[in-house]
Amino acid sequence: MVTKKEVPLLIRAAKGEIVKKVPVWLMRQAGRYLPEFKEIFNKHSFFDICRDPELSCELTLQPVRRFNLDAAIIFSDILVIPQALGMKCTLKAGVGPCFESPLKSAEDIKSLDEFSVQNLQYVYDAITLVSQKLDGQVPLIGFSGGPWTLMSYMVDGATSKTYSKSKKWLYNPELYNLSHLLDILRAAIVQHLYQQIIHGCEIVQIFESNSEVLTPEMFRKVLVPQIQSIVTDLRKQLLSNNYKDVPIIVFCKGAAHSLAYLDRCGADVIALDWTCDPELAREFVSKSLQGNLDPCALYGSKEQIRDLVKQMLLRSGCRKMIANLGHGIYPDTDPDKVQCFVDAVHEISEELLGSNNDELSGLYM
């Protein structure tokens, strides 16, 4: 809990400032593992909830009420941008998001609607509601899917192990007018993040959840410049409209091969998935880190969770660190294990940071 005059713990850690304990939040912290979430989810479709500011607000606040989290993250979805561009998407049980008419050619790009923030006003209204109800208790995180992840859904049409249809566009950029599609998505992402910030979000995250299918070369050639441009353009727009800068987190799943490149993209925090060793990441990343406990670790005993949290904190060095999972929490996770994870992060990090513990010596300071 913070007062309005204090800079929130999460914001200070994101900026690399000295903190007494490591802040913690969870990707998909508002999710089906919570009984109170299921009560609402069983009565409404997923995207109907996203489009209802009151329901979105309620689901956003549920985990903050239950756990001692250091942030709320707005309940929404990365695919609201393709929907705002006129693409119809439904969520099918056991399958995930499915687009009725995926993009198949350069000609199909012409069928996209012009992006308008008015089409996503329901997101910004929800953010306003959440901000009012939080009243400074914890900061609110806004987010967007990254250009590759959005494109991969728009072209493949659904979740895929390979995203081969989308990757075909990457290897034939002129045939598919790839640069035009990426320009559309990049501009939409910047506008969407900007609107979330001016409506109350104090920090934002860019999700490139599907980047693990890209080769290191393609990742660096296509994705890194896109992320760098988004960060730069967003900051320029905030500055030109006299809004204060906010920390930006970038999460690229499976991108441990390019941490040094991500470190130079301009973001404040580089989020790691659970396959990346945070101690190794420190060799390539000068910014703050976020992550990266394996979501499946929460299936273990509470003793195991505490041990794994300590290992994660020691390997990260605790400083310039935001604790999280290496990806979203799974629906069958026991909420008591989440409580254990959150408490363990706070208690163990406070002990490590407050004792000049020898275990931290030799690691990142």
Side-chain angles (χ1 to χ4, degrees):
M1 181 77 69
V2 296
T3 66
K4 289 184 178 180
K5 293 183 180 180
E6 294 177 325
V7 177
L9 180 66
L10 183 87
I11 304 301
R12 283 183 279 140
K15 293 180 176 180
E17 298 175 7
I18 294 175
V19 295
K20 293 182 178 180
K21 62 182 177 181
V22 171
V24 56
W25 68 281
L26 293 84
M27 287 185 271
R28 295 190 191 139
Q29 65 187 32
R32 286 175 288 167
Y33 73 101
L34 292 175
E36 56 267 40
F37 180 98
K38 291 179 183 178
E39 288 183 14
I40 294 176
F41 192 74
N42 290 337
K43 298 176 183 177
H44 306 272
S45 73
F46 177 81
F47 285 118
D48 282 345
I49 296 173
C50 290
R51 297 185 188 104
D52 187 316
E54 293 284 351
L55 291 178
S56 173
C57 175
E58 171 59 23
L59 295 186
T60 300
L61 295 173
Q62 285 178 350
V64 178
R65 296 190 193 111
R66 182 184 274 260
F67 309 114
N68 187 25
L69 294 162
D70 294 295
I73 180 169
I74 192 65
F75 184 84
S76 185
D77 193 77
I78 62 172
L79 297 180
V80 296
I81 286 180
Q83 291 174 320
L85 292 170
M87 297 188 71
K88 294 182 179 180
C89 179
T90 56
L91 196 66
K92 295 184 179 180
V95 178
C98 296
F99 284 91
E100 291 183 8
S101 302
L103 304 179
K104 296 180 179 179
S105 67
E107 192 68 21
D108 289 342
I109 300 174
K110 299 177 183 178
S111 68
L112 295 174
D113 295 341
E114 183 177 353
F115 180 77
S116 171
V117 295
Q118 293 179 352
N119 292 333
L120 296 180
Q121 188 60 46
Y122 57 86
V123 178
Y124 317 134
D125 289 344
I127 288 170
T128 299
L129 280 175
V130 173
S131 297
Q132 291 171 349
K133 294 193 176 185
L134 283 174
D135 192 30
Q137 176 185 353
V138 292
L140 178 61
I141 303 171
F143 68 91
S144 173
W148 160 249
T149 295
L150 296 182
M151 170 190 161
S152 64
Y153 280 113
M154 294 164 69
V155 175
D156 272 72
T159 302
S160 167
K161 291 182 178 180
T162 62
Y163 292 100
S164 58
K165 295 177 183 178
S166 302
K167 289 178 71 176
K168 186 177 181 180
W169 286 48
L170 299 182
Y171 287 99
N172 298 273
E174 294 182 1
L175 175 64
Y176 291 101
N177 202 0
L178 175 66
S179 62
H180 182 43
L181 178 58
L182 291 176
D183 285 346
I184 291 171
L185 293 175
R186 185 176 65 250
I189 291 166
V190 170
Q191 292 305 314
H192 186 40
L193 291 174
Y194 173 75
Q195 288 295 321
Q196 291 179 76
I197 291 167
I198 68 173
H199 281 83
C201 290
E202 296 178 66
I203 183 169
V204 293
Q205 176 161 311
I206 300 168
F207 283 87
E208 279 292 6
S209 306
N210 297 341
S211 56
E212 62 186 339
V213 302
L214 301 179
T215 66
E217 293 75 19
M218 190 62 76
F219 181 91
R220 296 164 190 171
K221 177 183 177 181
V222 176
L223 202 53
V224 172
Q226 290 291 321
I227 293 172
Q228 187 171 23
S229 180
I230 289 168
V231 172
T232 300
D233 291 350
L234 177 59
R235 291 206 158 115
K236 284 181 179 177
Q237 186 161 354
L238 287 169
L239 181 62
S240 65
N241 288 282
N242 297 316
Y243 285 100
K244 69 176 183 179
D245 195 14
V246 303
I248 300 172
I249 307 169
V250 171
F251 174 68
C252 297
K253 192 166 181 282
H257 51 67
S258 297
L259 290 175
Y261 293 84
L262 289 172
D263 191 48
R264 297 193 292 269
C265 75
D268 302 275
V269 183
I270 306 302
L272 310 176
D273 66 37
W274 70 89
T275 67
C276 184
D277 182 345
E279 185 177 2
L280 180 62
R282 288 295 188 191
E283 297 181 17
F284 302 97
V285 178
S286 62
K287 308 295 179 62
S288 295
L289 293 178
Q290 178 176 280
N292 68 330
L293 192 72
D294 182 353
C296 289
L298 298 185
Y299 294 143
S301 67
K302 292 182 180 179
E303 292 75 15
Q304 284 179 302
I305 292 170
R306 289 188 68 87
D307 287 344
L308 290 169
V309 165
K310 185 173 183 178
Q311 292 176 34
M312 176 185 72
L313 293 171
L314 285 171
R315 297 192 72 81
S316 73
C318 278
R319 294 168 177 83
K320 297 175 73 172
M321 174 70 178
I322 298 170
N324 206 313
L325 301 179
H327 201 230
I329 188 171
Y330 297 135
D332 59 345
T333 302
D334 182 348
D336 286 344
K337 302 295 182 64
V338 176
Q339 184 69 65
C340 176
F341 171 64
V342 172
D343 290 345
V345 169
H346 286 150
E347 293 167 7
I348 296 172
S349 66
E350 190 166 19
E351 179 183 351
L352 291 172
L353 289 168
S355 64
N356 292 319
N357 198 301
D358 290 340
E359 293 176 280
L360 286 177
S361 63
L363 293 178
Y364 179 84
M365 299 297 285

